[in-house]
Amino acid sequence: MEVVTRKGRTLCFGRPAHILHWGSVGGKKEGEGPLAAQFDLLFQENSLGAPTWEQSESDLQRHCLDLTLKKAGLSPSDLDLVLGGDLQNQCTATAYTMAKLEIPFSGLYGACSTMAQSLSLASCLVSTGCASRAVAMTSSHFCAAERQYRTPLVYGGKRAPTAQWTATAAGCCLVADQPGGPAVASVTFGQVMDFGVTDINNMGAAMAPAAAKTLLTHFQDTGTKPEDFDAIYTGDLGVVGSRLLAQLMEKEGFSMENHRDCGTLLYDVSKQRVHAGASGAGCSASVLCAHVLPQLQAGILNRILFLSTGALMSQTTFLQGQSIPSIAHLVELRASDGKPS
Amino acid sequence: MEVVTRKGRTLCFGRPAHILHWGSVGGKKEGEGPLAAQFDLLFQENSLGAPTWEQSESDLQRHCLDLTLKKAGLSPSDLDLVLGGDLQNQCTATAYTMAKLEIPFSGLYGACSTMAQSLSLASCLVSTGCASRAVAMTSSHFCAAERQYRTPLVYGGKRAPTAQWTATAAGCCLVADQPGGPAVASVTFGQVMDFGVTDINNMGAAMAPAAAKTLLTHFQDTGTKPEDFDAIYTGDLGVVGSRLLAQLMEKEGFSMENHRDCGTLLYDVSKQRVHAGASGAGCSASVLCAHVLPQLQAGILNRILFLSTGALMSQTTFLQGQSIPSIAHLVELRASDGKPS
């Protein structure tokens, strides 16, 4: 069997990499949500004791990587490469995390799509022998993101009903060339889409077309349809973006009944005052690691698609009146004992 | 022969990817420098006619990719993946370039190390069959970088003698699984180093230890030494960082006589008032594509190392008094007819 088979834009792995271990870390609001019991580690105080929110986010990542390595019984020097990034300008949350570790590092920027992106690249490298053990990792922090993208925290700006709440969370996957844990069967890298949405408080609308495009590409490349999967997880479209995705897919003849969105799973949208749901690179990362991977491991889920979606604007391009380009990367995951297609 | 052999942190490719075609684009100052005649395209007006400096930088990349594809007789749809990034917050120069093209995209952030990083990842993916044709691409723009990282352009702040001048330039490599053009024989991903340098006007000093670390790792992994290569190109350490690199390597018993730095090659340091030389992701990218690859193609150079170095701080972490973490990624390039080691 070929190591990798290219079907259109989709890469199908002959000897898939496995997610051996994983970790999830969250903050206060994540600890009050419906997935709280599934997190590895929750902090009651979002500063984690650090002097700046930016450093707090680095600490989230450090804890997440530490506990993943601990589960695996490995030390940092056992890793060939870390692939990761975050939402801070110049991806500094990840850079300062990595500065404390002597591990080769490749920094990524995919906004909230970073978890699927890092997992895709890690799977390519591990499945083909470029790495034996790689880590895919990302995070976000409400306070660091809010003051960077929107308004100072003390300003107390009113939030629009379509706005999403940036998760204070991190997720980390140890991808290895040995059996055990869910397998990454295939990946589809997304393309940047821009449908002219300029409302920074409605990212779900900006990202839905990117999610639809990547899903349709994957279905076409592999001859599959939504019903072939136990679930299709997107993140983080939120309430508004999820509705739009269903409409876009229906137009193409696909029913998205098994669709679940990480942005609507992380919080109780009706009770936690998060409006349209969760967002942030740490949203789909932590929901994957706290909620999805354990179900694949336990055999509750057998075959799923995981798509992270990212909005690629900056505060500068927003103030310049530019529209919001977006992207979605896709990973097909199977339970360890899942039947090959 | 194995598709890829891991020697320590270095990946050696059994069937190396080739840089089939490449492109380089520069602005006004680059057009007044010693490499002007070697650029594919130079603009006299750094705005390129765009309404914002950020969009001008996107246009630099677009022109660079266009002319590379034109040389290759290819269209965007012939590409499997573009790997690239830039220095703008949230890497928007690249995102807005990609929004106009229907090509799968993986965004990277490695600051000024992005060219070697994107070339490394592209080579991994192409050498192992994950992609047939991938593009590695990056850029920088003096005006977009200056106002983002330092002071408003109209402020006219005095520059320190150790400061470097951000290049207005882009470089683009078409990496393919077919013969022709220089080959990527091996790559070494760097680790993040932080030696406590906090002076944002002396990035060369912050980055030199990262370059030394990656070089030493590569030499140790492969049993090579500087004399085994026709030249070792770093970028962009500038005058100060280059001196420090020579000292650091000498301490380890290596003479760096064949070392050349993209930051000191792009401009005439003594005449163009750029103080310690050039910097910016576009610096090593454009010097690679305008100056280095043509020499490998012509057989003037046979075997070289190319390292891009990146400083991973942001304006936020700088104002918070944080030190500057840095990284360097390495690519070993050989002339098409170069003898295998």
Side-chain angles (χ1 to χ4, degrees):
Chain A
M1 187 185 277
E2 288 288 320
V3 171
V4 57
T5 308
R6 291 198 304 274
K7 296 179 181 171
R9 292 180 173 188
T10 298
L11 302 172
C12 304
F13 301 115
R15 41 176 202 211
H18 289 261
I19 306 176
L20 276 192
H21 290 280
W22 54 85
S24 54
V25 175
K28 187 164 184 290
K29 209 174 195 77
E30 294 67 33
E32 294 161 353
L35 303 186
Q38 300 171 43
F39 271 81
D40 287 308
L41 186 60
L42 290 166
F43 290 89
Q44 273 303 302
E45 171 51 70
N46 279 355
S47 77
L48 282 73
T52 68
W53 300 121
E54 287 72 22
Q55 288 179 52
S56 311
E57 187 176 343
S58 287
D59 288 347
L60 276 181
Q61 280 199 13
R62 185 171 51 78
H63 283 291
C64 200
L65 179 58
D66 280 355
L67 68 87
T68 305
L69 288 176
K70 200 172 173 184
K71 287 183 191 179
L74 296 174
S75 67
S77 61
D78 294 317
L79 299 176
D80 294 316
L81 189 66
V82 171
L83 294 140
D86 59 274
L87 300 177
Q88 288 180 21
N89 293 343
Q90 285 70 53
C91 305
T92 47
T94 314
Y96 285 88
T97 302
M98 294 309 300
K100 295 191 174 69
L101 300 163
E102 302 201 342
I103 314 172
F105 169 62
S106 183
L108 308 180
Y109 186 75
C112 304
S113 76
T114 307
M115 192 66 230
Q117 185 195 0
S118 60
L119 196 48
S120 295
L121 283 171
S123 303
C124 287
L125 296 177
V126 170
S127 299
T128 59
C130 289
S132 176
R133 295 190 198 96
V135 155
M137 178 169 81
T138 186
S139 66
S140 53
H141 194 296
F142 176 79
C143 302
E146 200 65 14
R147 69 178 180 183
Q148 175 180 283
Y149 283 110
R150 294 172 194 95
T151 53
L153 284 168
V154 291
Y155 179 76
K158 199 159 168 62
R159 296 165 56 77
T162 51
Q164 292 169 245
W165 187 278
T166 305
T168 299
C172 171
C173 290
L174 172 64
V175 182
D177 59 1
Q178 60 190 92
V184 183
S186 66
V187 302
T188 307
F189 287 102
Q191 71 179 57
V192 182
M193 308 285 288
D194 189 342
F195 274 54
V197 175
T198 53
D199 182 358
I200 205 166
N201 292 309
N202 192 356
M203 312 265 249
M207 296 189 292
K213 175 72 185 175
T214 303
L215 266 177
L216 291 169
T217 301
H218 185 81
F219 292 149
Q220 191 183 338
D221 288 347
T222 58
T224 55
K225 51 192 185 306
E227 305 86 276
D228 293 329
F229 303 92
D230 297 328
I232 296 171
Y233 288 90
T234 57
D236 36 11
L237 295 176
V239 176
V240 179
S242 292
R243 217 153 39 208
L244 285 171
L245 176 66
Q247 288 169 10
L248 290 168
M249 295 301 288
E250 203 176 340
K251 268 191 196 166
E252 303 291 332
F254 293 106
S255 159
M256 292 290 284
E257 274 172 38
N258 58 356
H259 171 234
R260 300 162 201 177
D261 184 67
C262 299
T264 63
L265 289 166
L266 184 60
Y267 304 127
D268 185 327
V269 174
S270 61
K271 288 186 189 155
Q272 286 188 279
R273 299 185 61 191
V274 292
H275 300 302
S279 71
C283 170
S284 69
S286 64
V287 173
L288 173 73
C289 295
H291 180 65
V292 181
L293 290 173
Q295 292 184 74
L296 282 161
Q297 182 77 341
I300 300 166
L301 295 172
N302 191 52
R303 185 186 185 192
I304 67 140
L305 295 180
F306 171 73
L307 288 92
S308 300
T309 50
L312 301 173
M313 81 296 163
S314 72
Q315 180 70 354
T316 303
T317 61
F318 164 66
L319 292 172
Q320 289 171 348
Q322 295 282 297
S323 55
I324 302 173
S326 62
I327 196 163
H329 301 292
L330 177 152
V331 178
E332 180 197 357
L333 296 172
R334 306 213 185 178
S336 302
D337 56 352
K339 292 161 292 198
S341 61
Chain B
M1 187 184 276
E2 288 287 320
V3 172
V4 57
T5 308
R6 291 197 305 274
K7 297 179 181 173
R9 292 180 173 187
T10 298
L11 303 173
C12 304
F13 301 115
R15 41 176 202 209
H18 289 260
I19 306 176
L20 277 193
H21 291 280
W22 53 87
S24 54
V25 175
K28 187 164 184 292
K29 209 175 194 75
E30 294 67 33
E32 294 160 353
L35 304 185
Q38 300 172 43
F39 271 80
D40 287 309
L41 185 59
L42 289 166
F43 289 90
Q44 273 302 305
E45 171 51 68
N46 278 355
S47 77
L48 281 75
T52 69
W53 300 121
E54 288 71 23
Q55 288 180 51
S56 311
E57 187 177 343
S58 286
D59 288 347
L60 275 180
Q61 281 198 14
R62 184 171 51 78
H63 283 291
C64 200
L65 179 58
D66 279 355
L67 67 88
T68 304
L69 288 176
K70 200 171 174 185
K71 285 183 193 182
L74 296 174
S75 67
S77 62
D78 295 317
L79 299 176
D80 293 317
L81 189 66
V82 170
L83 294 141
D86 59 275
L87 300 176
Q88 289 181 20
N89 293 343
Q90 285 70 54
C91 306
T92 46
T94 314
Y96 285 88
T97 303
M98 295 308 301
K100 296 193 174 68
L101 300 163
E102 302 201 342
I103 314 174
F105 170 61
S106 183
L108 308 180
Y109 185 75
C112 304
S113 76
T114 306
M115 191 66 230
Q117 185 195 359
S118 60
L119 195 49
S120 296
L121 283 170
S123 303
C124 287
L125 296 176
V126 170
S127 299
T128 59
C130 288
S132 175
R133 295 190 198 98
V135 155
M137 178 169 80
T138 186
S139 66
S140 53
H141 194 296
F142 176 80
C143 302
E146 200 66 15
R147 69 178 180 185
Q148 175 180 284
Y149 283 110
R150 295 174 193 94
T151 53
L153 284 168
V154 290
Y155 178 76
K158 198 160 167 61
R159 295 165 55 78
T162 52
Q164 292 169 245
W165 187 277
T166 305
T168 299
C172 171
C173 290
L174 172 65
V175 182
D177 60 1
Q178 60 189 93
V184 183
S186 67
V187 302
T188 307
F189 287 102
Q191 71 179 57
V192 182
M193 309 285 288
D194 190 343
F195 275 53
V197 174
T198 54
D199 182 359
I200 205 167
N201 291 308
N202 192 356
M203 312 265 250
M207 297 190 291
K213 175 72 184 175
T214 303
L215 265 178
L216 291 168
T217 301
H218 185 82
F219 292 149
Q220 191 182 337
D221 287 348
T222 57
T224 54
K225 49 191 186 308
E227 305 86 278
D228 293 329
F229 302 92
D230 297 328
I232 297 171
Y233 288 90
T234 58
D236 37 6
L237 296 175
V239 176
V240 179
S242 293
R243 218 152 41 207
L244 285 170
L245 176 65
Q247 288 169 11
L248 290 167
M249 295 302 288
E250 203 176 339
K251 268 191 194 165
E252 303 291 332
F254 292 106
S255 159
M256 292 291 283
E257 275 172 37
N258 57 356
H259 171 235
R260 299 163 201 177
D261 184 66
C262 299
T264 62
L265 288 166
L266 184 59
Y267 304 126
D268 185 326
V269 175
S270 61
K271 288 187 190 154
Q272 286 187 281
R273 298 185 61 190
V274 292
H275 299 303
S279 71
C283 169
S284 69
S286 64
V287 173
L288 174 72
C289 295
H291 179 65
V292 181
L293 290 173
Q295 292 184 74
L296 283 160
Q297 182 77 342
I300 299 166
L301 295 171
N302 191 51
R303 186 186 185 192
I304 67 140
L305 295 179
F306 171 73
L307 288 92
S308 300
T309 51
L312 301 173
M313 81 297 162
S314 73
Q315 179 70 352
T316 304
T317 62
F318 164 67
L319 291 172
Q320 288 171 348
Q322 295 283 295
S323 54
I324 302 173
S326 62
I327 197 162
H329 301 293
L330 177 153
V331 178
E332 181 197 355
L333 296 172
R334 306 212 184 178
S336 302
D337 56 353
K339 292 161 292 197
S341 59

